[in-house]
Amino acid sequence: MKKAVKNELPENYEELKKAANRNGSWRARFDAVEELGNYNASQVVDILNTRLANDPVFKIQEAAYRILLEFGEEVEMPKRKKFEMIKDTSKILLRVKKSLPADHAYEDFAAKLRRMRIDVYDAYEGEKGSEFHNWLEGEWNKLKK
């Protein structure tokens, strides 16, 4: 069953636009993309095309792609990034590690990364899902050597 799509902007358009571009929360971006998918307007299509082309979280790119197809737009499915989602992630992680005392715990590292680079933390958390902390701890262990 095809969902009913409105051809005007939502009342909370400005709020949704901000949420769709919020670097610190992949969940807010995802929810905004999904809600914007109920409104087929040129401004919404622009936002969805931006998320499709530039969002570091593949799940958000997929949602934007699906909605744009439903709107009848000609778009290509994005390719999942195989390596670093965010350029120089390993350098960023090393910088965070070096900013902590030598005997710090993984939890300290994760908390500091979240404070220093919420964009990196959030993007990888969104991409890795339930495997995020296992992945991050593995990266942290590699840096310890």
Side-chain angles (χ1 to χ4, degrees):
M1 186 176 130
K2 193 163 169 74
K3 66 181 178 182
V5 176
K6 301 174 184 92
N7 289 323
E8 75 268 359
L9 289 175
E11 288 180 25
N12 60 342
Y13 170 73
E14 287 301 322
E15 181 183 315
L16 288 171
K17 180 179 172 182
K18 286 179 187 170
N21 293 307
R22 188 165 294 132
N23 282 344
S25 176
W26 73 269
R27 287 175 186 85
R29 290 195 313 276
F30 181 78
D31 291 345
V33 163
E34 287 290 333
E35 189 167 339
L36 286 167
N38 295 315
Y39 300 90
N40 187 354
S42 63
Q43 296 96 318
V44 170
V45 170
D46 289 345
I47 291 170
L48 295 175
N49 273 314
T50 299
R51 293 289 42 116
L52 175 65
N54 301 320
D55 204 288
V57 178
F58 190 71
K59 181 177 182 176
I60 295 169
Q61 289 179 319
E62 279 182 317
Y65 171 77
R66 175 181 41 78
I67 293 165
L68 287 166
L69 280 182
E70 289 172 4
F71 286 176
E73 298 291 317
E74 290 187 27
V75 290
E76 288 188 31
M77 180 66 166
K79 290 183 175 37
R80 186 181 289 266
K81 292 183 176 96
K82 291 183 176 149
F83 302 106
E84 289 185 338
M85 292 171 36
I86 296 176
K87 187 175 181 342
D88 294 331
T89 296
S90 55
K91 289 179 184 177
I92 293 166
L93 297 178
L94 184 60
R95 204 172 309 130
V96 171
K97 181 201 175 306
K98 285 182 172 182
S99 73
L100 291 163
D103 61 346
H104 69 274
Y106 163 72
E107 291 75 18
D108 300 326
F109 174 76
K112 181 98 183 224
L113 175 62
R114 189 174 192 154
R115 279 194 314 276
M116 283 177 69
R117 291 297 304 263
I118 186 66
D119 60 324
V120 173
Y121 186 97
D122 184 73
Y124 279 97
E125 181 186 39
E127 189 66 24
K128 303 282 184 192
S130 62
E131 291 298 310
F132 171 68
H133 283 288
N134 290 337
W135 169 82
L136 186 58
E137 190 166 6
E139 294 298 306
W140 173 70
N141 278 320
K142 286 184 213 169
L143 294 171
K144 286 173 61 173
K145 295 178 169 79

